[in-house]
Amino acid sequence: MSGDLRMALVGQPNCGKSTVFNMLTGARQYVANYPGVTVDVKKGKFRVGEKTVEVVDLPGTYSLTSYSAEEMVTRDYVLNEAPDLVLNVADTSNLKRSLYLTFQLLEMGAPLIVNLNMTDVAEGHGLLVDGRALAAELGVPVVETVANRNRGDEAVRKAISEGGRRSSSFRVDYGSLEPFLEKAEKSLRALFPGKSYPWRWIAVKLFEEDEAVRRTIVDAGEPGLALLEEVDALATSFEMAEGADSRSHIGLARHTCATALEQRVSRRTRPSGKTWTDRIDAVAVNRFLGPLLLLGIIYALYELSIVQGYKLTEYLVPWLNRLRIAIEGTLPPSGFLEEPLLREFTLDLVTAVNSMLIYVPIFLVLFAAIAVLEDVGYMPRMAFILDRLFRRFGLHGQSTLPLILGGVFVGGCAVPGVMATRVIADERDRLATILVVPLMNCLAKVPLYTLLLGIYFADTAGAMMVFISTITLIAALGVAKVLTLTVLRNRPSSPFVMEMPPYHLPTLRGIVIRSLERTWLFLRKIATVIVVVAAGVFVLTHYPSPSPEVLQGLAVRADEAKATFRAAVAETPFAASLADDESLDRYLNLQESLRQFRMLGTAKATIDERLTAEAPDVAPLVIGSDPAVKTLDRAFRTLRGTRLELQRELSSERLNASVLGRMGQVMEPLTRPAGFTWKVNVALLSSLAAKESSVATLGVLYRPQGDDANKTLGERMQEQERGFTPLHALALMVFMAFYPPCIATILMVKVESRRWKWALLALGYPILLGFACAALVFTGGSALGLSGTRAALVFYGVLLFVTFLLGLIPGRAPETEKTSKHIASVAEKATFPR
């Protein structure tokens, strides 16, 4: 073989395929979305001698039918993209199961190399597989690896350089079905004369009633329809003769062949008995101990990634501040009252980006912890434990991870939660999970919870956090059940296949690679969104401008403050240097630079050097040794306080006059049943872009007045909103708990569901649900004379009761036929090789 190669990596779930991919490609890999379906494939490159091999890590799949998007993607790539090689990764410790997929690849005529991976696990179970004997049986190259230890790397590369075997004499014996297959093959060759398709594989698929293959036959016109009628008649004849349908017969024949082949090429060194996996599973999936262990693991995951991971942000914050200061230094200087538009806009964008980057340590730890659970083999067990409960409400055992990422416990993020739903093959359950993940408590909601709990529920803050954490999950179960009974009732559903792989020890290299890969994917997908949203919020909170009278009044007060300052420093030798506004502005900005450098812990010598370079004529007024500098500093502190107050007032007036501010005031009569004031409405509107904006916006709205400049936002809210009670706060927290997802999540819902209608539904129904619940809490609690805590207990009981009743409603059975039709419709039309 000469030139570059394209290789497909194919294997069943939990066979170590991704580990083989990492072994071959290292860091030279990236994730791509496969056209037409919401399934990602990984691509990478590596060198074999003089050749460059592009390898595509296809989704793990048990077979090559058309039940799921993963199966269709793998089958479509092998058939239509015609890779030079197909590396079939097989779990040596479960060879019989792995051969089921290998047989189908052989029937497709793929240029195959079989990779017996995890041979160490097989040996640990007392099973030795003879690779040479298997190669002789199958008629294709066979190599052995322990990929997580990089054993067998050279053998794989050598086999790749020599090429795979496209034709093989091996055939699965389908027994009494063989004559019927031969007749179908003959008819297929007559229908497509001159073509060289894998006729036997196509014939088998027709007898398996594969919808995608049948669709292609239908596209051949009347002859194709006649062929399908012939195959249906043959299948009926077979069923009448054998007493079994052809699909079941084919599956049994493959199973029988795999069992016999495994016995011929393997031997046991000791009798099979209970393994460590069996012993651990006796506890891990125990009916009573399993859920308790699951709760402990989820808590540990939350504690490690959110609590401990958040502590790591302390090391990142100074660097982000340095980045902001560095960018700030390149922008036009700030005026006394207003900042230049370019400066203000750029700093808003930088702040928005930094608000995303600050969570990078959390995501690195979170994704690393998840990678450990995946490598160990606990994820399928987690799904198994919760599947029975989730199924009752229209969800799926594999919904567990997306809900955890979204924030089952306070502190998740809906973006990776929605991304994680792609592992759910069942389309109905996947869509239901996508639509309820945004109900979870993302980390961005925490600041508002913390603010309100500290003001109104200081004595019961812990219990109230448990209340907030659990009502979202309870509501999500109820919402999922309603969705599957209504808008998702006709969505296709596929059989749920659950496998319990043996436990493995994870490798540090694999954990680090996956953690970095997933974090980078997250940042790459939302970075642009954050910038666009920040720009939109900037415009909506700045235009139209306040009235000229308001601006003139602030300008007069600014001139008065400057005059007071100049009078205070008139007797100092620096008075002449600050006589004009331009010099005064430069002095004030230099003082702000001094504060920033001191906050970053910059050395005094470095500060002096930088400030002198920034403004050599004004720097002596800030860092000079003249005794008059102290007088100047005292006057500056008074002027700075006045300046900050005027800037806050300008920001508040600008917000009141802006589009966003006016919307909040217009909405106040509508939101009164939930107890929301116009200021709360503005905060909620601003947090549509990012939930963190709610507290920042409240800080602007409840600006310092008079002597409360040093008071906290909570203290200012209590003083300025004397009619705001714990019941108001409870309603606001309930609404925030169900608040619609941020723009980044909405776009991710669209990406994963591939339909704007689902994204709009994810935006709309939480608003209605949240407002209805908030109105029930506030209006109902007010009518009954309940305190905030008692209203929380009553609401909790009502929500739990309603969800329990919904769980009693029977769901719909899976509809595999509809599933295959749907998946076929989104796959490429041509199922045969082009």
Side-chain angles (χ1 to χ4, degrees):
M1 299 176 69
S2 61
D4 294 342
L5 303 175
R6 287 189 306 124
M7 184 178 77
L9 205 60
V10 180
Q12 295 181 339
N14 303 303
C15 67
K17 179 168 57 66
S18 295
T19 312
V20 173
F21 178 78
N22 291 333
M23 178 182 73
L24 293 173
T25 63
R28 297 179 295 277
Q29 54 185 261
Y30 63 96
V31 178
N33 190 260
Y34 196 81
V37 287
T38 56
V39 174
D40 279 348
V41 297
K42 285 196 295 185
K43 295 184 178 182
K45 291 184 178 181
F46 61 96
R47 300 280 298 178
V48 175
E50 299 299 321
K51 304 170 186 175
T52 297
V53 181
E54 181 188 58
V55 56
V56 178
D57 183 10
L58 296 168
T61 176
Y62 291 97
S63 66
L64 297 175
T65 59
S66 57
Y67 286 134
S68 71
E70 287 78 9
E71 293 170 334
M72 283 300 302
V73 165
T74 301
R75 186 169 80 174
D76 179 66
Y77 187 88
V78 173
L79 283 173
N80 294 333
E81 301 299 329
D84 300 299
L85 292 169
V86 174
L87 185 64
N88 174 211
V89 182
D91 177 2
T92 311
S93 64
N94 205 336
L95 182 60
K96 179 171 61 178
R97 184 205 66 200
S98 297
L99 287 173
Y100 195 87
L101 177 62
T102 305
F103 293 162
Q104 295 176 68
L105 289 169
L106 288 170
E107 288 177 344
M108 291 169 63
L112 201 63
I113 299 174
V114 174
N115 174 201
L116 292 178
N117 191 35
M118 300 195 293
T119 55
D120 58 331
V121 176
E123 292 170 1
H125 294 170
L127 179 67
L128 293 180
V129 177
D130 187 339
R132 292 183 179 180
L134 182 61
E137 290 274 359
L138 296 177
V140 296
V142 175
V143 291
E144 301 177 17
T145 60
V146 181
N148 61 356
R149 299 180 185 175
N150 276 3
R151 278 169 42 186
D153 183 25
E154 291 302 320
V156 174
R157 294 174 186 270
K158 181 181 178 182
I160 292 171
S161 67
E162 295 173 352
R165 192 80 53 81
R166 184 176 290 275
S167 60
S168 169
S169 59
F170 179 85
R171 289 174 59 157
V172 176
D173 184 3
Y174 292 109
S176 56
L177 186 63
E178 287 291 345
F180 299 90
L181 290 173
E182 291 176 4
K183 290 179 181 179
E185 280 190 60
K186 184 178 179 180
S187 298
L188 282 166
R189 294 177 188 274
L191 182 62
F192 299 98
K195 303 294 184 180
S196 57
Y197 296 147
W199 304 115
R200 181 176 174 82
W201 177 80
I202 296 171
V204 170
K205 286 291 141 186
L206 288 175
F207 279 95
E208 284 186 307
E209 301 177 16
D210 188 288
E211 286 293 329
V213 173
R214 293 174 68 90
R215 182 189 180 96
T216 304
I217 300 297
V218 169
D219 290 342
E222 289 297 329
L225 292 173
L227 174 60
L228 289 181
E229 290 180 2
E230 178 188 349
V231 171
D232 289 342
L234 290 172
T236 302
S237 299
F238 173 81
E239 186 172 351
M240 292 178 64
E242 299 295 326
D245 64 273
S246 56
R247 179 187 292 183
S248 301
H249 179 85
I250 290 171
L252 180 61
R254 287 175 180 156
H255 177 79
T256 302
C257 182
T259 301
L261 180 56
E262 182 188 48
Q263 292 174 350
R264 292 198 297 270
V265 301
S266 64
R267 63 183 179 87
R268 289 204 167 271
T269 58
R270 62 175 183 271
S272 58
K274 278 195 172 184
T275 64
W276 277 108
T277 293
D278 298 327
R279 295 187 179 98
I280 296 173
D281 276 346
V283 176
V285 296
N286 181 273
R287 186 173 184 179
F288 302 105
L289 298 178
L292 295 177
L293 179 62
L294 173 61
L295 289 175
I297 289 174
I298 291 176
Y299 176 79
L301 180 69
Y302 166 69
E303 175 72 22
L304 181 64
S305 60
I306 304 302
V307 178
Q308 302 303 324
Y310 190 77
K311 294 179 181 179
L312 296 178
T313 62
E314 298 175 3
Y315 299 98
L316 184 60
V317 168
W319 292 100
L320 295 178
N321 288 339
R322 290 186 178 94
L323 173 64
R324 190 181 191 280
I325 291 172
I327 295 174
E328 192 173 350
T330 66
L331 299 172
S334 175
F336 183 84
L337 187 58
E338 294 192 73
E339 293 185 341
L341 190 62
L342 176 62
R343 178 186 181 87
E344 193 172 5
F345 178 71
T346 303
L347 291 180
D348 274 11
L349 293 187
V350 171
T351 301
V353 172
N354 281 356
S355 69
M356 174 188 68
L357 294 178
I358 197 173
Y359 297 120
V360 167
I362 294 176
F363 284 113
L364 285 172
V365 175
L366 180 63
F367 288 134
I370 291 171
V372 170
L373 293 178
E374 289 174 340
D375 283 1
V376 166
Y378 186 73
M379 282 299 187
R381 282 134 179 116
M382 184 183 296
F384 173 80
I385 293 168
L386 291 176
D387 183 65
R388 179 178 297 179
L389 171 65
F390 282 1
R391 279 285 176 183
R392 186 176 292 275
F393 291 95
L395 291 176
H396 194 287
Q398 289 175 311
S399 302
T400 307
L401 176 59
L403 293 177
I404 290 173
L405 292 176
V408 167
F409 292 98
V410 176
C413 179
V415 173
V418 173
M419 288 169 58
T421 60
R422 64 190 55 175
V423 303
I424 304 175
D426 185 304
E427 187 195 358
R428 186 176 62 202
D429 293 349
R430 183 173 60 81
L431 283 173
T433 307
I434 287 173
L435 292 172
V436 300
V437 162
L439 291 179
M440 299 298 102
N441 284 295
C442 70
L443 192 64
K445 297 179 182 179
V446 174
L448 183 64
Y449 294 154
T450 304
L451 173 67
L452 296 176
L453 290 175
I455 302 172
Y456 300 102
F457 299 95
D459 296 335
T460 57
M464 290 302 295
M465 283 302 290
V466 173
F467 165 79
I468 291 295
S469 300
T470 52
I471 62 170
T472 51
L473 179 59
I474 295 170
L477 293 176
V479 169
K481 188 57 176 280
V482 171
L483 290 172
T484 53
L485 292 174
T486 55
V487 295
L488 298 179
R489 66 183 183 276
N490 293 323
R491 305 303 296 183
S493 177
S494 60
F496 177 45
V497 179
M498 179 86 68
E499 180 206 356
M500 298 295 184
Y503 290 103
H504 303 287
L505 287 176
T507 64
L508 180 62
R509 181 171 179 266
I511 292 168
V512 170
I513 287 176
R514 287 215 296 286
S515 177
L516 292 173
E517 176 186 279
R518 291 171 177 175
T519 302
W520 170 245
L521 182 64
F522 166 72
L523 293 175
R524 190 181 68 186
K525 288 197 173 187
I526 70 169
T528 304
V529 174
I530 290 292
V531 173
V532 171
V533 167
V537 170
F538 180 86
V539 173
L540 292 175
T541 54
H542 282 70
Y543 297 99
S545 299
S547 66
E549 292 78 10
V550 170
L551 296 177
Q552 180 63 31
L554 292 172
V556 169
R557 291 169 59 189
D559 290 339
E560 292 174 352
K562 293 177 185 178
T564 302
F565 171 78
R566 289 191 175 104
V569 301
E571 302 300 325
T572 68
F574 306 122
S577 301
L578 301 174
D580 60 280
D581 286 351
E582 182 180 352
S583 298
L584 180 58
D585 288 345
R586 288 164 58 206
Y587 166 75
L588 295 174
N589 291 332
L590 207 65
Q591 285 279 15
E592 293 302 324
S593 296
L594 176 63
R595 289 174 59 86
Q596 291 173 344
F597 285 132
R598 284 176 174 172
M599 289 176 62
L600 293 176
T602 308
K604 184 179 184 304
T606 304
I607 294 176
D608 293 350
E609 180 182 346
R610 291 187 180 182
L611 294 184
T612 302
E614 182 178 339
D617 56 332
V618 181
L621 282 65
V622 178
I623 59 176
S625 57
D626 193 305
V629 170
K630 293 184 178 180
T631 303
L632 196 62
D633 286 343
R634 286 194 295 270
F636 160 73
R637 285 192 287 271
T638 302
L639 179 62
R640 181 177 183 273
T642 305
R643 183 193 189 194
L644 291 176
E645 182 178 347
L646 291 173
Q647 287 177 338
R648 291 191 189 100
E649 287 191 35
L650 175 61
S651 177
S652 178
E653 293 290 348
R654 181 176 286 150
L655 182 60
N656 290 343
S658 69
V659 173
L660 208 57
R662 292 178 180 180
M663 289 174 63
Q665 295 172 41
V666 170
M667 290 169 54
E668 187 169 16
L670 301 176
T671 60
R672 193 170 290 128
F676 299 165
T677 64
W678 76 268
K679 292 182 178 181
V680 169
N681 292 339
V682 170
L684 293 175
L685 286 172
S686 69
S687 61
L688 268 175
K691 299 296 183 294
E692 300 93 334
S693 303
S694 59
V695 173
T697 304
L698 289 172
V700 173
L701 295 172
Y702 296 98
R703 62 187 184 280
Q705 296 176 349
D707 297 332
D708 63 358
N710 294 323
K711 293 181 179 178
T712 64
L713 171 59
E715 292 169 336
R716 298 200 303 270
M717 283 186 64
Q718 279 184 298
E719 291 187 2
Q720 297 179 36
E721 286 285 2
R722 296 193 180 277
F724 207 82
T725 66
L727 199 58
H728 287 83
L730 177 65
L732 179 54
M733 286 192 295
V734 167
F735 182 81
M736 178 58 74
F738 300 131
Y739 198 61
C742 64
I743 302 300
T745 303
I746 291 295
L747 292 179
M748 189 56 65
V749 170
K750 191 271 175 185
V751 169
E752 294 300 328
S753 67
R754 304 191 71 83
R755 294 291 185 275
W756 273 112
K757 69 175 183 179
W758 301 122
L760 294 175
L761 179 61
L763 174 65
Y765 90 81
I767 296 178
L768 299 176
L769 176 64
F771 183 75
C773 291
L776 176 65
V777 167
F778 180 75
T779 303
S782 299
L784 296 174
L786 300 177
S787 65
T789 305
R790 289 183 178 179
L793 290 173
V794 172
F795 174 73
Y796 197 86
V798 170
L799 184 65
L800 199 60
F801 180 68
V802 171
T803 304
F804 173 76
L805 292 180
L806 287 171
L808 298 179
I809 302 175
R812 294 171 61 87
E815 301 172 69
T816 57
E817 183 178 353
K818 290 184 179 179
T819 299
S820 61
K821 289 181 179 178
H822 174 74
I823 297 299
S825 69
V826 299
E828 292 190 20
K829 185 176 181 180
T831 307
F832 298 168
R834 298 189 188 97

